[in-house]
Amino acid sequence: LATLLFGLGLGTTITFASSHWLLAWMGLEMNTLAIIPLMAQHHHPRAVEATTKYFLTQAAAAATLLFASVTNAWLTGQWEIQQITHPLPSTMITLALALKIGLAPLHAWLPEVLQGLNLTTGLILSTWQKLAPFALILQLQPSNSTLLIILGLTSALIGGWGGLNQTQLRKILAYSSIAHLGWMILILQFSPSITLLTLLTYFIMTLSAFLVFKLNKSTNINTLATSWAKAPALTALTPLILLSLGGLPPLTGFMPKWLILQELTKQGLAPTATLAALSALLSLYFYLRLSYAMTLTIAPNNLTGTTPWRLPSTQLTYPLAISTVMTICLLPLTPAISTLLIS
C-alpha cells in the first residue's frame, strides 16, 4: 500500500515538475498504474469492472495526449509544454486532459467508476487524481478559449442534471465533481488563481463529504436516514457540508462561485455567468435532497432503512473535524484571499 501511495505521489510530482511532454505523460501513466491496484484490491466484480473502465479511459486519454504531443513536435519542432502554438495538437491535448479528469461531454466513465469503488479510493480518485492533469491544463490555457468555455458550461450543466435522479451517494459525488470541475475550467483562462482557489475549496469540501459517508458506512440515500442514531452531532453538521458543496452563503463553498461569477461578468460574459449560476441551482437541489433524507426523515418511516449495528467507529475523527470546520467557516476570509489572488 505504501509503495502504491508513493507511486501516486511520485507520478503527480513528476507531472508537476516537467516542462517536456514526454515526462508529463510518464507522470500521468505512473499515476494511473499506481491507483489501479488500489481500485481492484477488493476482488468484487463491480470493483474489477470499475478498474477496467478506468484503465481503458485513462489509457485512451494518455495515448491521445502522446499522439498530440508527437504531432506538435512534428509540426513545430517543440516538446516544451508551454510551446503549444498549433491549434490541432492544442485542441487534442485539451480534450485528452478533459477525458482524464472527467469533464463533460467526456464524463460518462466517472460516475460508473466511482460507483464501483470503496469510499477511500473514491476520495483519492475525486481529489488527488485531478491534480496532475489540472497542472497541465493550467500551463496550456491561453490557446483554446471557446473550447474551455464550452467544456466548462457543459460540465456544470451535466453535473447538475445527472445528479438529480441518483440514489447512490458515490454517483452523486461524481456528478458533483463534474460540476465543480466545470466551474474551474470556465474561469481558467481569465484567472488561473481563482481556478486554483476553487480546486482547493472543492478538495476540502469533498474530503468532508467522503469522510462523513465513510464514518456512517453509507453508500445510498436510504442508509443516510439512520445516521442520526450513530452520530447525532455530525448528522446535524452534514447538511451544512452538503450545502457548502452546493455553494450557499454563508458557507465556504459560496466563495469560489462568487469570485467566478464576478470575474465572468467583468470579462463581459454575463450570459455564461447566468447559465453557470442556473446550473448551480440544479446541483443545489440534490444536495438539499441528501440533507432532507439525512436530517428530516426519521428512520422507521423511510423505505428500506434498516437500523445498522452501532459499533464504535475505527476511523480517525480529527481529519473530519478539521475539514468540516474549513468547509463551513472559511467564507469570512474571502477579502484576504482575494487580496492574495490579486497580488
Side-chain angles (χ1 to χ4, degrees), residues 193-194 197 255 258-259 262 266 332-343:
S193 46
I194 293 183
L197 172 72
M255 171 174 48
W258 170 26
L259 293 172
Q262 190 179 338
K266 272 186 204 162
L333 292 180
T334 309
I337 290 170
S338 42
T339 314
L340 281 174
L341 291 182
I342 292 162
S343 63

Side-chain angles (χ1 to χ4, degrees), residues 267-322:
Q267 299 289 343
L269 292 170
T272 313
T274 313
L275 264 175
L278 289 173
S279 76
L281 287 176
L282 291 169
S283 304
L284 191 61
Y285 172 77
F286 59 77
Y287 296 124
L288 275 171
R289 191 158 142 248
L290 286 183
S291 310
Y292 173 77
M294 199 160 181
T295 52
L296 300 174
T297 53
I298 295 226
N301 303 337
N302 66 350
L303 300 174
T304 51
T306 49
T307 309
W309 289 98
R310 294 194 201 171
L311 300 169
S313 172
T314 52
Q315 184 185 327
L316 283 175
T317 45
Y318 267 129
L320 177 55
I322 295 164

Side-chain angles (χ1 to χ4, degrees), residues 9-321:
L10 186 65
T12 307
T13 314
I14 286 178
T15 306
F16 276 1
S18 60
S19 59
H20 190 289
W21 274 115
L22 208 54
L23 205 58
W25 170 80
M26 202 170 77
L28 291 171
E29 283 298 283
M30 283 178 68
N31 240 356
T32 307
L33 292 176
I35 201 174
I36 279 175
L38 288 174
M39 295 167 104
Q41 62 185 343
H42 302 284
H43 298 293
H44 188 279
R46 196 163 279 168
V48 173
E49 182 190 340
T51 312
T52 313
K53 284 177 179 169
Y54 181 74
F55 175 71
L56 291 173
T57 49
Q58 297 298 308
T64 314
L65 184 80
L66 195 58
F67 176 63
S69 47
V70 170
T71 312
N72 183 62
W74 179 48
L75 290 168
T76 63
Q78 287 288 351
W79 276 101
E80 294 284 310
I81 292 182
Q82 315 279 17
Q83 300 290 337
I84 298 280
T85 45
H86 199 281
L88 176 69
S90 165
T91 307
M92 279 172 68
I93 288 173
T94 309
L95 288 173
L97 293 169
L99 176 59
K100 274 234 174 251
I101 56 178
L103 282 173
L106 308 164
H107 67 288
W109 62 272
L110 185 60
E112 296 296 321
V113 167
L114 211 56
Q115 180 56 30
L117 306 178
N118 67 359
L119 289 165
T120 318
T121 322
L123 173 64
I124 296 174
L125 182 69
S126 307
T127 53
W128 187 259
Q129 289 299 86
K130 309 278 189 233
L131 282 173
F134 230 91
L136 294 177
I137 296 179
L138 270 169
Q139 293 179 63
L140 266 180
Q141 47 120 81
S143 49
N144 289 36
S145 51
T146 328
L147 178 65
L148 287 180
I149 287 184
I150 291 170
L151 283 173
L153 269 183
T154 8
S155 300
L157 286 164
I158 285 181
W161 244 307
L164 291 182
N165 218 9
Q166 301 295 340
T167 56
Q168 297 291 334
L169 298 179
R170 284 165 294 187
K171 280 198 173 173
I172 287 178
L173 285 168
Y175 280 111
S176 139
S177 167
I178 294 166
H180 279 273
L181 287 167
W183 280 83
M184 293 171 215
I185 292 295
L186 205 53
I187 197 66
L188 185 68
Q189 53 194 323
F190 306 116
S191 173
S193 46
I194 293 183
T195 299
L196 288 173
L197 172 72
T198 315
L199 189 64
L200 193 65
T201 47
Y202 160 73
F203 278 6
I204 294 167
M205 298 185 294
T206 309
L207 177 69
S208 304
F210 268 101
L211 289 178
V212 167
F213 297 153
K214 192 166 173 284
L215 191 78
N216 288 322
K217 297 187 174 61
S218 46
T219 52
N220 62 16
I221 292 189
N222 287 333
T223 47
L224 273 186
T226 54
S227 63
W228 61 273
K230 283 196 275 185
L234 187 63
T235 307
L237 285 175
T238 307
L240 292 176
I241 295 175
L242 292 167
L243 294 177
S244 184
L245 266 167
L248 274 195
L251 305 164
T252 307
F254 176 61
M255 171 174 48
K257 285 193 166 58
W258 170 26
L259 293 172
I260 287 174
L261 291 175
Q262 190 179 338
E263 185 62 35
L264 284 174
T265 320
K266 272 186 204 162
Q267 299 289 343
L269 292 170
T272 313
T274 313
L275 264 175
L278 289 173
S279 76
L281 287 176
L282 291 169
S283 304
L284 191 61
Y285 172 77
F286 59 77
Y287 296 124
L288 275 171
R289 191 158 142 248
L290 286 183
S291 310
Y292 173 77
M294 199 160 181
T295 52
L296 300 174
T297 53
I298 295 226
N301 303 337
N302 66 350
L303 300 174
T304 51
T306 49
T307 309
W309 289 98
R310 294 194 201 171
L311 300 169
S313 172
T314 52
Q315 184 185 327
L316 283 175
T317 45
Y318 267 129
L320 177 55

